[in-house]
Amino acid sequence: MDSILVRGGAELNGVIPIAGAKNACLALMPATLLSDEPLTLTNAPRLSDIKTMTQLLQSLGAEVTSLQDGKVLAMSSHDLSNLTADYDIVRKMRASFLVLGPMLARAGRAVVSLPGGCAIGARPVDLHLKAMEALGATLELRDGYVYAEAKGGLKGAVFDFPLVSVGATENALMAATLAKGTTELRNAAREPEIVDLARCLRKMGARIEGEGTSTITIEGVDRLTGTTHPVVTDRIELGTYMLAPAICGGEVEFLGGRIDLVGAFCEKLDAAGISVSETERGLKVKRKNGRVNAVDVITAPFPGFPTDLQAQMMALLCTAEGVSVLEERIFENRFMHAPELIRMGAKIDVHGGQATVTGVEKLRGARVMATDLRASVSLILAALAAEGETVVSRVYHLDRGYERVEEKLGACGASIERVSS
Ligand code: UD1
């Protein structure tokens, strides 16, 4: 199992290109199941999660070809030869559940394994299932699988999500494109990844309005066509790397960065004493002066502060001047990075969904362990500014969501290398 070795203390200067969004790509790929014509995604990120989705789609009978070193995914689902998403693939990645809506909509039937437990809380799929039922599907849960059927096809409906869910909105949106009649999704998620999915579906012939607001209206059509679509910039990769010069000092430009993708995050950076400016190619980040200030953060659905940047923000606040309170409102049990940061000398108290971080002057290198995707990168950020060496083990979590992390940070002057065991 690989580890990442970081020798902290270097200022970072240079340019980091930001990849296409993992979470957008994972929702766009199952859209291929909606049409018998080819769907091509450009600006795809090169990540193990994308390989997992590729395997899943292939197991269902889709052809998925990775071109240009993985940056282009050419997909075609002429025939769906298998309508069962197997446990062995679904258990690896929760986003696998996104094949349910498209399969049901196109084939009128689908069998999808329940995703099972997850390190950052229970993460049920009840909202996905309720949305499918609202669209006329009958569901049965048996042997760890969801057996779904829509005899005579799905039917448009009004569905009001009891809480905002990105994945359930995506599943329902895809399913509704081929349903008979009009669907109105209320209290829908507004994340940029949903907007990207809706835009791609519209290019495929879907009739969708209101993406990016909390009500999305979909007029069902008989069939969808193929298209080519560029995956939107990864706002979480962007926000993560924006924290690197904030933590280490220096100035870094982020190619493809857009303020509208990271608005709430930039407000907190500003309050912490980090300057973000727009350039022709993206965004530039540097510290305004001296030490970072403490700030309080509450995670919320978009356009709020993203839960997927909470761990990385905590890494920054560990060395801020003063006391910061981070409140996690999306997932329970999402402070698993805190004990690891404490091993590096951070002062953090976790009480339920709140973490109080008292800034220290310096962190010290240590052996730490990645527990999930965003936690693992928060340890790397902390290590970049820590005194001495840090070894982050279990980096397979990192490879799920960050392509070539050591190359991207190394090019800006960080001392970071991958160590294969
Ligand atoms: C997506 C992102 C993930 C991000 C999360 C929140 C992908 C592949 N993953 O995950 O990186 O952290 O959005 O921004 O896009 N919930 C239910 N029942 C459901 C579904 C969700 O109770 O059926 C709850 C969850 O447990 C959680 C909250 O709703 O507390 C939000 O989850 P959701 O937005 O669905 O997250 P994902 O789509 O799984």
Side-chain angles (χ1 to χ4, degrees):
M1 232 181 275
D2 290 358
S3 310
I4 298 271
L5 169 67
V6 180
R7 288 183 196 90
E11 253 198 14
L12 299 186
N13 288 287
V15 173
I16 295 184
I18 302 301
K22 168 182 88 77
N23 287 350
C25 198
L26 289 175
L28 289 162
M29 290 175 76
T32 185
L33 302 173
L34 288 164
S35 170
D36 58 0
E37 293 185 22
L39 171 62
T40 300
L41 299 176
T42 59
N43 197 35
R46 290 157 291 182
L47 301 169
S48 63
D49 271 9
I50 302 301
K51 288 192 181 138
T52 305
M53 184 58 86
T54 298
Q55 270 177 11
L56 175 59
L57 294 174
Q58 286 170 337
S59 78
L60 302 172
E63 284 170 34
V64 184
T65 313
S66 167
L67 305 167
Q68 294 183 24
D69 191 23
K71 278 198 143 186
V72 173
L73 295 170
M75 302 178 289
S76 171
S77 307
H78 196 265
D79 299 305
L80 297 183
S81 55
N82 168 32
L83 294 174
T84 301
D86 196 79
Y87 173 69
D88 275 339
I89 304 183
V90 179
R91 74 181 163 85
K92 287 191 201 161
M93 187 181 70
R94 192 181 148 77
S96 307
F97 210 68
L98 293 176
V99 299
L100 175 65
M103 279 201 289
L104 248 180
R106 169 122 171 253
R109 226 160 29 86
V111 182
V112 181
S113 168
L114 290 165
C118 170
I120 56 171
R123 299 184 84 176
V125 287
D126 55 321
L127 300 177
H128 298 242
L129 301 181
K130 283 191 180 120
M132 296 305 136
E133 279 181 326
L135 292 171
T138 51
L139 305 176
E140 198 189 331
L141 301 187
R142 205 169 359 113
D143 309 325
Y145 282 80
V146 179
Y147 289 76
E149 199 169 303
K151 283 199 183 116
L154 293 171
K155 292 183 184 61
V158 175
F159 185 70
D160 202 339
F161 288 96
L163 62 92
V164 178
S165 161
V166 176
T169 301
E170 291 165 342
N171 233 335
L173 174 60
M174 287 192 276
T177 57
L178 293 180
K180 284 195 186 75
T182 307
T183 298
E184 196 173 290
L185 301 176
R186 297 183 183 161
N187 198 26
R190 292 183 277 166
E191 268 66 4
E193 294 75 28
I194 307 265
V195 173
D196 202 34
L197 175 62
R199 285 189 180 151
C200 175
L201 292 169
R202 202 153 40 224
K203 287 197 246 170
M204 293 169 73
R207 297 180 62 189
I208 302 169
E209 276 175 22
E211 74 275 11
T213 74
S214 51
T215 302
I216 307 178
T217 309
I218 307 117
E219 192 84 50
V221 294
D222 289 340
R223 65 182 295 272
L224 294 180
T225 61
T227 194
T228 296
H229 181 81
V231 179
V232 67
T233 297
D234 195 321
R235 65 196 167 97
I236 305 301
E237 191 199 27
L238 171 65
T240 299
Y241 287 131
M242 283 169 78
L243 286 167
I247 289 178
C248 300
E251 186 174 36
V252 179
E253 185 180 12
F254 300 96
L255 305 185
R258 280 169 34 195
I259 290 271
D260 62 309
L261 295 176
V262 281
F265 172 71
C266 285
E267 279 170 28
K268 291 296 172 186
L269 286 189
D270 184 55
I274 311 298
S275 119
V276 179
S277 53
E278 294 186 85
T279 67
E280 272 181 15
R281 305 187 296 177
L283 298 176
K284 213 172 228 184
V285 177
K286 63 175 184 188
R287 255 192 235 161
K288 289 181 197 162
N289 45 39
R291 206 167 148 192
V292 168
N293 308 315
V295 289
D296 294 340
V297 171
I298 299 176
T299 63
F302 193 85
F305 190 100
T307 173
D308 285 352
L309 286 174
Q310 177 260 107
Q312 301 89 313
M313 190 70 183
M314 188 186 285
L316 171 76
L317 297 175
C318 283
T319 51
E321 184 125 43
V323 178
S324 310
V325 177
L326 292 104
E327 199 172 321
E328 175 54 58
R329 294 228 183 131
I330 307 291
F331 294 114
E332 76 241 48
N333 199 19
R334 205 176 193 183
F335 287 128
M336 285 171 302
H337 41 286
E340 301 300 308
L341 290 169
I342 290 169
R343 289 174 56 76
M344 299 176 72
K347 282 196 184 159
I348 306 167
D349 283 312
V350 175
H351 293 288
Q354 263 194 6
T356 306
V357 181
T358 307
V360 296
E361 286 260 340
K362 270 256 168 240
L363 295 178
R364 290 181 308 277
R367 292 188 64 128
V368 290
M369 203 162 72
T371 49
D372 71 47
L373 168 55
R374 308 305 172 185
S376 54
V377 83
S378 77
L379 300 175
I380 289 179
L381 288 173
L384 289 174
E387 246 161 35
E389 273 188 15
T390 298
V391 177
V392 184
S393 57
R394 296 206 181 163
V395 293
Y396 54 85
H397 290 295
L398 191 73
D399 296 332
R400 290 187 47 202
Y402 293 90
E403 62 170 46
R404 302 165 196 212
V405 69
E406 57 279 27
E407 270 175 44
K408 288 191 180 186
L409 290 169
C412 293
S415 170
I416 174 167
E417 62 187 278
R418 184 174 289 255
V419 184
S420 299
S421 59

